[in-house]
C-alpha cells in the first residue's frame, strides 16, 4: 500500500514539473528557478521508492530525463547566453 502512494506521488510530481515549465506563469519562475528541480528530485525519489516492475522503471527514466533537460536549460540560460 505504501509503495502505491509513492508511485502516485511520483506521477503527481512528474506532471507538476511539466506544468511548472510548460504552462506556468512567469511569476512562479521569478520566485525561484529551483522549483522545477525540487519537484523533479522529489519525483525521482518517490519513483525509486514506488511499485517495482515496469512502472518504476518508466517513472525513474521519465523523471531523470526531465531533470537532465531542466539542468541543460538552466546551464544554457545562465552560461550560454552571456556574451562578453
Amino acid at each position: 500500500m505504501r509503495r502505491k502512494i509513492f508511485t502516485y506521488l511520483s506521477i503527481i510530481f512528474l506532471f507538476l514539473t511539466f506544468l511548472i515549465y510548460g504552462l506556468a506563469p512567469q511569476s512562479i519562475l521569478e520566485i525561484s528557478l529551483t522549483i522545477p528541480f525540487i519537484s523533479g528530485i522529489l519525483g525521482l525519489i518517490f519513483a525509486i521508492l514506488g511499485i517495482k516492475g515496469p512502472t518504476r522503471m518508466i517513472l525513474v527514466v521519465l523523471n531523470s530525463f526531465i531533470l537532465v533537460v531542466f539542468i541543460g536549460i538552466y546551464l544554457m540560460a545562465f552560461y550560454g547566453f552571456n556574451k562578453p
Side-chain angles (χ1 to χ4, degrees), residues 51-72:
I51 297 173
K52 293 182 180 179
T55 307
R56 176 193 250 175
M57 182 181 66
I58 290 170
L59 286 173
V60 167
V61 167
L62 284 176
N63 280 310
S64 300
F65 177 72
I66 294 298
L67 202 56
V68 167
V69 168
F70 288 152
I71 289 172

Side-chain angles (χ1 to χ4, degrees), residues 18-69:
F18 280 131
L19 288 176
I20 286 174
Y21 254 115
L23 304 173
Q26 291 298 321
S27 61
I28 292 175
L29 296 177
E30 288 175 2
I31 293 171
S32 177
L33 192 61
T34 59
I35 291 174
F37 294 114
I38 293 170
S39 61
I41 290 171
L42 285 175
L44 184 63
I45 290 170
F46 287 136
I48 290 171
L49 297 174
I51 297 173
K52 293 182 180 179
T55 307
R56 176 193 250 175
M57 182 181 66
I58 290 170
L59 286 173
V60 167
V61 167
L62 284 176
N63 280 310
S64 300
F65 177 72
I66 294 298
L67 202 56
V68 167
V69 168

